[in-house]
Every structure is written in structure tokens, then in C-alpha cells.
Amino acid sequence: TGAGEYPVVLEIEDINILDPGFGYDSNDKVVVDNGAELKLKTDPLGSVIGVDVVNGGMGFSEDPDIYIESDSGYNAKLMPVFKVNRVGEDIEPELVAPGASIQVIDCVGKF
């Protein structure tokens, strides 16, 4: 396989908060596909003020559905920011630009 022919895999690097919603608890579970694990940070009113990416998951090819399992919170809208990982034993990590990201905005999604 020649240079530039290695598969590219997307993983979640960060989360943009499009709408913080309210009534959430920092222990509410964020559900997302591909092994990603996210942890909420909330203010005293339960609005989402941050999301820690514990595990970015792997192999995203499109925007995943991200939702929060909560008994009391609602209306939060979260959008993933991806980073690109190239898969191939011949590529050294320093050859992949750090911080390279792809932001996917799907205006015709489930809101």
C-alpha cells in the first residue's frame, strides 16, 4: 500500500454544546455509538456547561446520534467535533497533524 492509501478513522475529540438545555444532573449518562464515552458537566440549574471526552470511540463515518439519559433534563443539543486518525503501521504519529479536526454539521437532523 502506497502513501496516502491508509484508511482514515474518525473519533470524537470534543463536543460543541449547541443548546445547554436544563434540569440535567452531572451523573446523567450520555449515550453515543462506536464505544465513545462522554461525561457531562452541569451548572447548578442543570444546564450542560461542558462535556469531557473520556473515550472518543472509533470508526465514525457520519454524525452519531448523541442523547442524554435523564429523568429530569431536556433540550440539550450536542454536536461532536472529530479528529482524524490514520490507520497503518508505516505512519508515525508525529506525521499526522495534531489537532486536525473535521466538524460535521447536519442541519437536517433529529432535534
Side-chain angles (χ1 to χ4, degrees):
T1 306
E5 295 179 19
Y6 294 103
V8 172
V9 224
L10 298 178
E11 76 178 71
I12 297 174
E13 179 175 49
D14 196 11
I15 296 291
N16 285 335
I17 301 165
L18 302 179
D19 188 332
F22 53 92
Y24 292 98
D25 183 283
S26 60
N27 293 318
D28 287 342
K29 183 178 178 182
V30 183
V31 179
V32 64
D33 298 330
N34 293 17
E37 186 181 344
L38 308 174
K39 175 90 175 111
L40 287 181
K41 291 190 234 176
T42 58
D43 68 11
L45 297 176
S47 294
V48 178
I49 56 171
V51 180
D52 289 332
V53 178
V54 178
N55 181 343
M58 283 205 112
F60 292 99
S61 58
E62 58 185 37
D63 238 5
D65 287 329
I66 298 175
Y67 65 95
I68 303 168
E69 287 182 354
S70 176
D71 291 332
S72 57
Y74 54 95
N75 281 353
K77 293 180 186 139
L78 307 176
M79 176 70 66
V81 176
F82 295 103
K83 69 178 174 181
V84 177
N85 284 329
R86 299 188 188 281
V87 177
E89 55 187 310
D90 295 61
I91 293 184
E92 297 175 22
E94 61 269 14
L95 297 178
V96 179
S101 65
I102 295 175
Q103 183 172 358
V104 178
I105 299 175
D106 180 8
C107 296
V108 188
K110 298 174 193 166
F111 293 107

